[in-house]
Amino acid sequence: MAYRRRTFSLTVLLLSMVLAGCGSSMAIKGNKDEGLRLARLLRDQGRVEASTDVYTRLDSRNMLKGSEMLEYASVAALARSPQQTLELYSRARQSLGGDTDKMSPEEALAVCLGMGRAQLALGRNTMAQKDFTCALKAQPNNTLALNGMGVVMDSAGQHTQARQMFEKALQVNPADVSAINNLALSWLASGNPDKAIPLLRSLDDGNTTGKLNLALAYLASDREEDARTALGAIAQPQRIDALIASLHQRLQQMQQDKTRGETLLASSRQRLQLSSPE
């Protein structure tokens, strides 16, 4: 009977959440524990946007504190803009006391890594480096932090140091796709496409980013036909000429840019159209 009552209570809360989205005058019903239970259920089901909405409504009633605020930021990072995410992580840090050295290693890692990735997405590389340093202090072998630090170093032209970060990530997890891609791009940014190509060819054929990077590396080696073959695995035939032109433009920008890594980082944020609009 107690289980049935809890189930009914959760159902009522879910209904009230749905209704609350229909008009600003509606308010959340149910208590904090029920709200968190619902948010986590939606999160675990992969319904990130819905889960974020529940956390947002709980937060609007000042119900989230400490680790709960960090939980909110971690879910929202998958559904909100980097600017919004950064604000949430900053609030979570303050709610946990403000000093990452006094947090648990798990909390410090989540805060610093979340802030670092948001800073990087916003192009704030100096701040991102500080946050990734903090994350690596909390967990020296964290592959996400190693990759993030490597990307920051690459963008600053510190390619040797960047590759050390990517290689360390691959020592932790030899199958880390991000580290393989990043290591290849670092070689490419250093003007060594022949070292990038074998790394990128090791990735699965279904890896879109890897194929685009492989095509870029082929073009850097004056192997356009190989680049077209690589693109043929992921793009419609009628789009390949346009893709080749876009990649040539990126390659030209990279070769003209003294830092190179900054150009690669900027271009990696731009999506290329693989199919024709319907």
Side-chain angles (χ1 to χ4, degrees):
M1 180 65 69
Y3 172 78
R4 293 181 64 183
R5 281 199 300 270
R6 286 196 298 270
T7 302
F8 175 76
S9 179
L10 186 60
T11 302
V12 170
L13 178 64
L14 177 58
L15 178 60
S16 67
M17 294 290 185
V18 173
L19 291 175
C22 299
S24 59
S25 61
M26 292 290 185
I28 296 177
K29 306 298 181 183
N31 60 38
K32 172 183 172 179
D33 290 340
E34 291 170 334
L36 285 173
R37 200 153 48 238
L38 175 60
R40 291 162 182 163
L41 175 64
L42 293 169
R43 175 200 63 192
D44 295 343
Q45 290 177 343
R47 299 168 64 185
V48 177
E49 187 69 45
S51 177
T52 301
D53 286 342
V54 176
Y55 280 114
T56 300
R57 294 182 183 281
L58 291 171
D59 181 45
S60 70
R61 294 172 60 180
N62 297 316
M63 287 183 166
L64 302 180
K65 306 295 181 184
S67 60
E68 297 161 351
M69 192 66 206
L70 180 56
E71 187 179 309
Y72 171 29
S74 299
V75 175
L78 303 173
R80 297 291 183 260
S81 70
Q83 186 66 55
Q84 292 171 312
T85 297
L86 185 60
E87 180 185 355
L88 290 174
Y89 274 113
S90 179
R91 289 178 55 205
R93 180 178 60 185
Q94 293 305 313
S95 187
L96 288 165
D99 186 351
T100 54
D101 288 335
K102 295 181 180 179
M103 298 178 193
S104 70
E106 294 78 14
E107 289 172 341
L109 175 66
V111 168
C112 296
L113 186 59
M115 294 188 71
R117 296 177 78 178
Q119 299 276 25
L120 187 61
L122 292 168
R124 301 172 183 172
N125 294 354
T126 300
M127 296 301 297
Q129 184 168 1
K130 292 180 180 179
D131 289 322
F132 288 131
T133 298
C134 169
L136 288 170
K137 182 178 180 181
Q139 191 177 106
N141 290 327
N142 183 272
T143 57
L144 293 174
L146 288 167
N147 270 301
M149 182 65 83
V151 169
V152 169
M153 290 179 169
D154 241 351
S155 70
Q158 300 172 7
H159 304 306
T160 300
Q161 298 93 320
R163 287 193 287 273
Q164 290 173 352
M165 293 290 140
F166 301 140
E167 287 167 355
K168 186 173 181 179
L170 287 171
Q171 289 173 3
V172 177
N173 178 13
D176 189 325
V177 173
S178 294
I180 293 172
N181 256 312
N182 289 333
L183 180 58
L185 286 176
S186 182
W187 281 118
L188 188 56
S190 298
N192 293 280
D194 290 340
K195 291 188 176 182
I197 289 170
L199 289 165
L200 295 167
R201 289 182 63 182
S202 72
L203 296 174
D204 292 339
D205 287 342
N207 188 294
T208 301
T209 300
K211 287 299 181 185
L212 286 169
N213 290 336
L214 178 59
L216 185 65
Y218 278 138
L219 290 178
S221 295
D222 295 321
R223 297 166 60 178
E224 184 169 320
E225 285 305 311
D226 288 329
R228 288 178 175 276
T229 300
L231 292 173
I234 58 172
Q236 293 180 349
Q238 63 268 31
R239 286 295 307 158
I240 290 180
D241 285 343
L243 287 169
I244 288 290
S246 295
L247 292 175
H248 266 305
Q249 184 178 14
R250 291 186 182 185
L251 185 61
Q252 185 177 16
Q253 290 173 344
M254 184 186 72
Q255 291 170 341
Q256 292 173 348
D257 186 357
K258 292 182 179 180
T259 62
R260 294 191 177 191
E262 186 66 34
T263 299
L264 277 175
L265 179 60
S267 67
S268 69
R269 298 192 185 112
Q270 301 170 6
R271 294 183 180 274
L272 292 177
Q273 188 175 327
L274 303 180
S275 59
S276 300
E278 295 182 359

